[in-house]
Every structure is written in C-alpha cells, then in structure tokens.
Amino acid sequence: MQDPAIAAATAEAVAAHARARAASPPVTLSAGVMARPGAPEPLMYGNLSVPLQNPNAAARALAKGEAAAWEAEARRREAQRVAWIQAEALAWDALVTRLNEVTRLALGPLTDRVTLLQAAFDAGQIPADRLVRARVAQHEAEHERCLI
C-alpha cells in the first residue's frame, strides 16, 4: 500500500513532465510536388522546419524544475516512511526482548522462590512476612511484564 502523499507527489511529477513535453516546440516535416509550366518534369521539394529558438523555453524549464522537485519530494517521503517503519520495528524488537528478559530473568526465579518459601512456611520454618515480601516481589515483576 502506497502512502497517499507519495502517490500525490509522483502524480505531480508526471504532470510536470507532461507540461514540459507540451512546452516543446514542434518539429515539422513536409514534402510536395510542384509542376512548372514548360518544364519537362515536375519539381519535387521537401521542407524540414526546426525551430532555432523555443518561445516556450522558460515554461519548459519551469516544468522540468517542478518535475525534479516533485520527484525529490516523493523520494524524501518514501525515505521518511522507510525510516519510520524501521524505527517502529526496532522499538518492537526492544519490547519483545525486554518482555523475554523480565519473564526469564526476573519472573521465573521469583516464582520458584515463592514456591520454596511457601513450602518452608507451611512447614513452620520461616515467618509469614518473608513469604509476603517474596510474593510482593513476584507481583511487581508480573506487573512490570504487563506494562511492557
């Protein structure tokens, strides 16, 4: 799917190229036959009209300049779009990496710790506040993972 701004810039460039072609002077070629009275053969002639000066030179130069500017604008917008997509992809990769790290490095060991402390508390070997602190740390790690 193409960005509408890029499509518009490309269309403007095409239109400017068309204006430049329209401002070009026509080159004409003509041929003919002419009979002279008393001449044994008809006279053949040809004509090639090539203008030496273009009366529309300024309009053509302007149209060419506009076309070049619109093409540059389309390239700039395309480069900007590609850069934005790459930045979004990098941000997504960073989020996925962070989520995996929180899950693997923080949440996994904290869950194991809570399981062990729960068994120790059930056996009467540790006080309740130690188990509560471990569950708070586990909850905070789960909350951080949810925020990612």
Side-chain angles (χ1 to χ4, degrees):
M1 180 176 162
Q2 190 177 24
D3 185 4
I6 296 170
T10 304
E12 287 289 341
V14 169
H17 279 297
R19 286 192 301 274
R21 281 191 302 278
S24 298
V27 175
T28 59
L29 175 64
S30 60
V33 177
M34 182 170 50
R36 291 185 309 179
E41 306 169 351
L43 178 66
M44 306 284 278
Y45 71 92
N47 183 22
L48 176 63
S49 173
V50 179
L52 298 176
Q53 184 177 2
N54 184 355
N56 298 326
R60 183 175 181 174
L62 179 64
K64 281 186 173 184
E66 287 175 352
W70 281 113
E71 287 169 351
E73 176 67 11
R75 285 191 304 271
R76 183 196 67 80
R77 287 181 184 262
E78 183 64 28
Q80 183 180 22
R81 183 177 170 91
V82 167
W84 178 80
I85 290 171
Q86 289 174 342
E88 289 295 316
L90 287 174
W92 175 258
D93 289 344
L95 285 174
V96 169
T97 301
R98 178 74 178 133
L99 180 64
N100 291 336
E101 287 178 355
V102 166
T103 302
R104 184 177 49 88
L105 299 176
L107 196 54
L110 287 174
T111 302
D112 295 343
R113 180 176 172 221
V114 167
T115 303
L116 292 173
L117 288 175
Q118 181 67 49
F121 177 74
D122 291 343
Q125 296 173 345
I126 61 167
D129 66 327
R130 190 166 171 195
L131 177 61
V132 168
R133 284 194 305 268
R135 285 187 184 219
V136 167
Q138 179 190 21
H139 175 75
E140 288 175 356
E142 287 176 354
H143 181 70
E144 183 179 351
R145 185 179 70 175
C146 290
L147 291 178
I148 293 174

